[in-house]
């Protein structure tokens, strides 16, 4: 009897090829799902970083205006580079320009374009209550109170909310930065 039990034990050692393939299949499914969740997480983080970067550049331009000692005003321009990467530049507004009012200086105050991640794009930069077209790309802040003004061949004071809409290229998710006429901005 002991010999028969020993024979049964020796035949049941190890695992079969089908069990190995089943385990590998399940592990592959879990890995595929995990990678997709991780990629979506990274895309959401890049979108959030772009929104924070937008807040930062708007705050910088508004702070430059409010802290200037010589009634200088500063503005933000949306820039689309030829390689498809969107970004922002901060400009000083010309004092008593020979042309139309509210013209920006030729060189960015920062000396560079603050580019957003290549995986996000600015899909809308609009100020509908100013009767300015949706492709307007300049926003400036006025001295003393920091009011927001839209530039389109002249100064147009905002009477309603403006918005900057940023979209993730892979997820299609959007975040909207709202800009109030008083120069305050918030996330919708």
């Amino acid at each position: 009897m002991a010999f028969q039990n020993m024979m049964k034990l020796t035949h049941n050692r190890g695992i079969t090829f089908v069990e190995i393939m089943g385990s590998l299949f399940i592990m592959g499914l879990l890995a595929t799902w995990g990678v997709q969740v991780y990629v979506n997480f990274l895309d959401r983080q890049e979108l959030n970083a772009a929104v924070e970067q937008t807040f930062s550049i708007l705050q910088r331009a508004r702070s430059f205006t409010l802290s200037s000692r010589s009634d200088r005003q500063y503005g933000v321009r949306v820039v689309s580079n030829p390689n498809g990467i969107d970004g922002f530049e901060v400009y000083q507004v010309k004092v008593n320009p020979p042309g139309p009012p509210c013209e920006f200086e030729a060189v960015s105050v920062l000396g560079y374009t603050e580019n957003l991640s290549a995986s996000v794009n600015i899909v809308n930069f609009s100020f509908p209550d100013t009767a300015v077209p949706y492709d307007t790309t300049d926003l400036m802040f006025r001295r003393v109170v920091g009011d927001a003004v839209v530039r389109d061949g002249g100064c147009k004071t905002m009477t309603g909310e403006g918005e900057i809409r940023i979209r993730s290229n892979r997820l299609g998710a959007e975040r909207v930065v709202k800009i109030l006429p008083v120069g305050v901005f918030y996330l919708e």
Side-chain angles (χ1 to χ4, degrees), residues 13-154:
R13 272 200 272 176
I15 52 178
T16 66
F17 179 72
V18 172
E19 291 171 330
I20 291 174
M21 293 309 291
S23 298
L24 288 175
F25 178 74
I26 291 171
M27 288 177 17
L29 285 178
L30 290 175
T32 302
W33 175 77
V35 167
Q36 187 59 42
V37 167
Y38 183 68
V39 167
N40 287 344
F41 170 76
L42 290 179
D43 286 343
R44 280 192 305 277
Q45 291 302 318
E46 286 182 0
L47 181 59
N48 290 339
V51 168
E52 288 179 24
Q53 198 173 359
T54 301
F55 266 83
S56 173
I57 203 80
L58 290 171
Q59 185 62 43
R60 197 173 313 165
R62 188 169 189 262
S63 294
F64 283 168
T65 297
L66 292 175
S67 66
S68 69
R69 298 175 193 250
S70 60
D71 292 335
R72 293 273 183 177
Q73 296 175 344
Y74 294 84
V76 174
R77 175 170 288 158
V78 175
V79 178
S80 289
N81 295 329
N83 57 3
I85 297 176
D86 293 337
F88 297 98
E89 293 177 343
V90 176
Y91 284 91
Q92 183 175 336
V93 178
K94 289 182 180 178
V95 178
N96 300 323
C102 300
E103 285 295 315
F104 283 180
E105 295 285 348
V107 179
S108 170
V109 173
L110 303 175
Y112 60 90
T113 300
E114 184 91 21
N115 288 327
L116 300 178
S117 168
S119 66
V120 297
N121 279 45
I122 299 169
V123 293
N124 194 6
F125 188 82
S126 63
F127 302 93
D129 293 343
T130 58
V132 175
Y134 282 122
D135 62 351
T136 298
T137 59
D138 295 341
L139 171 72
M140 64 174 241
F141 296 97
R142 289 193 294 198
R143 179 82 172 103
V144 181
V145 291
D147 289 355
V149 177
V150 178
R151 187 186 79 75
D152 181 44

